[in-house]
Amino acid sequence: MEDSLQIAIVGGGAAGFFAAIACAEANPHAHITIYEAGPEPLSKVRISGGGRCNVTHHCTEARQLIQAYPRGGRALLGPFSRFQPQDTIAWFEARGVRLKTEADGRMFPVSDRSSSIINCLLGEAERLGIQLRLREPIIGVERHADGFQLQLRAATVAVDRLLLATGSSPSGYRLATALGHDLIPPVPSLFTFTVLDASLRTLAGISRDRVQATLQVGGDRLKETGPLLITHWGLSGPAVLKLSAFGARLLQQHRYRAELRINWLPDRSAEQVRLELQAMRSNESKRQLKNGRLADLPQRLWLYLLEQAGLPSDRRWGEVSNQQLIALWQTLTAGTYAIAGKGVFKEEFVTAGGVPLDSLNSQRMESKRCPGLFVAGELLNVDGITGGFNFQNAWTSGWIAGQALADHRSEAHLR
């Protein structure tokens, strides 16, 4: 009977809670339990955005939105036509949590506190009678003719419907495989680059609002333009994180060894930079290089770039040879940096890989192979760049799965 559905949601993160709430609202008689292996729910929500929670991105056009997903974007076109960022904004605001948009399109609660999002989700779950069981990992699962049997540490539980929303936890991959799903092997996405250059790392904290970064991985080349941050271990910032996302599999295959080429002055053509350097040599001939930097480059970065080009900072502009000028020009517009590994990006650890979307009915997030099994969130082979896109996948896939969980019909009945 529809009014006696027993529903288990494995994973107490963003997708799991959103699905549970959507299900309870669509079917108030369903008995819904969230099983979370850890000691607290919504832990990733808590740390996202430096504790502010980057809820979503202010992008309302589905075809533009899917461009932010290195994997799974095309398959999300249909789901985003049903639940997209505007719906996320409306959902939270209807429950008393207003969001604000920052200059780069990222959206945060006006409180600038992730606790606003966590308290909203916990409050809605409690209001709707959703049970939450913490420190309760699912050890195993079996598919029966009328549902599923979950093996807990000290008991077994029979349920009619099962949603896996375990993020990048190995337990989710194990359960999906046990229920007949093939997986695309997960690899890290959204990470920083380690650069073994002691001189560069002394510039930690310096950022540029706009560089053009080109990543050469084996025979493949990826290019991004955007902000860049120099860190104690190498390079970070949106331009680097986008390259790491779109190049996640290539980089993993090459053991995170690659070459990064940086144009520090992307708003000028290479020819313009060359002419400006020639003009500096002609017009500032008696001035020392360290006192005559190009454009608005920070002084410490300028000195570093001079060093990279092999030019002493106390040399006068008029003493720079043509060959040295070319070396400086190339350093400014196409400087090369050896990537020696991946760093960490603690705020948004994301994986590429998981359950392929073509193995699900994307109108329901229900398995084609195992009716009654649903998948949402990062366990899917979907990952976005930084900026709220990964949470939007969680809200969208969770909401769609929740609607379908509440429906007494299954994938088998709909065929």
Side-chain angles (χ1 to χ4, degrees), residues 190-201 215-216 228-237 240-241 243-244 251 254-262 304 336-345:
L190 279 187
F191 48 84
T192 59
F193 293 161
T194 298
V195 179
L196 301 180
D197 179 343
S199 296
L200 177 69
R201 290 185 288 177
L215 185 68
Q216 185 77 41
L228 180 139
L229 172 67
I230 301 172
T231 71
H232 290 291
W233 58 88
L235 297 168
S236 184
V240 165
L241 295 171
L243 287 172
S244 78
L251 285 161
H254 288 81
R255 299 184 179 182
Y256 304 100
R257 301 297 191 270
E259 181 183 271
L260 187 68
R261 183 170 296 173
I262 299 177
Y304 166 79
T336 57
Y337 303 83
I339 305 305
K342 66 178 179 65
V344 295
F345 186 47

Side-chain angles (χ1 to χ4, degrees), residues 263-277:
N263 180 352
W264 295 96
L265 302 169
D267 295 325
R268 294 168 167 80
S269 69
E271 178 64 10
Q272 283 178 308
V273 175
R274 188 183 69 82
L275 292 174
E276 284 187 49
L277 289 173

